[in-house]
Amino acid sequence: MASLYIKDEEANALAARLANRRGISKTMAVKLALQHELARDEVHIPLRERLAAWRKTQPLGEPTGLVADKAFYDSLSDEDGD
């Protein structure tokens, strides 16, 4: 079993404070705080980077070469054929 020894008094006090508030052990408090901090970092990945990663896993289909029928799509939304 791995162990974590917190030598810093302030970090130890913060872990104890969170543990007391949540009614959990200091180990669980440290684990919870680290999970939340890591999750926060993931949220701050710029949208451009998140979309680029998504596009790599979700590629667009190949072009069909077909031309869209504008009159048909306009008729779906009751628009006049301009």
Side-chain angles (χ1 to χ4, degrees):
M1 180 167 105
S3 64
L4 176 66
Y5 177 68
I6 300 175
K7 297 177 184 178
D8 183 82
E9 288 182 28
E10 183 182 4
N12 189 42
L14 289 169
R17 188 172 154 196
L18 181 58
N20 287 335
R21 281 188 179 183
R22 299 288 169 94
I24 58 178
S25 68
K26 283 198 294 186
T27 300
M28 190 59 174
V30 170
K31 184 177 177 180
L32 182 66
L34 292 171
Q35 287 172 339
H36 281 248
E37 190 62 25
L38 289 170
R40 226 177 62 146
D41 283 349
E42 292 172 6
V43 171
H44 288 92
I45 297 171
L47 178 60
R48 182 179 306 266
E49 290 177 25
R50 286 185 280 152
L51 285 175
W54 182 80
R55 284 188 191 116
K56 285 181 184 177
T57 63
Q58 306 292 324
L60 295 174
E62 294 295 322
T64 63
L66 300 174
V67 178
D69 183 355
K70 183 176 179 344
F72 170 74
Y73 287 105
D74 286 346
S75 72
L76 294 176
S77 59
D78 295 329
E79 293 182 13
D80 295 331
D82 293 345

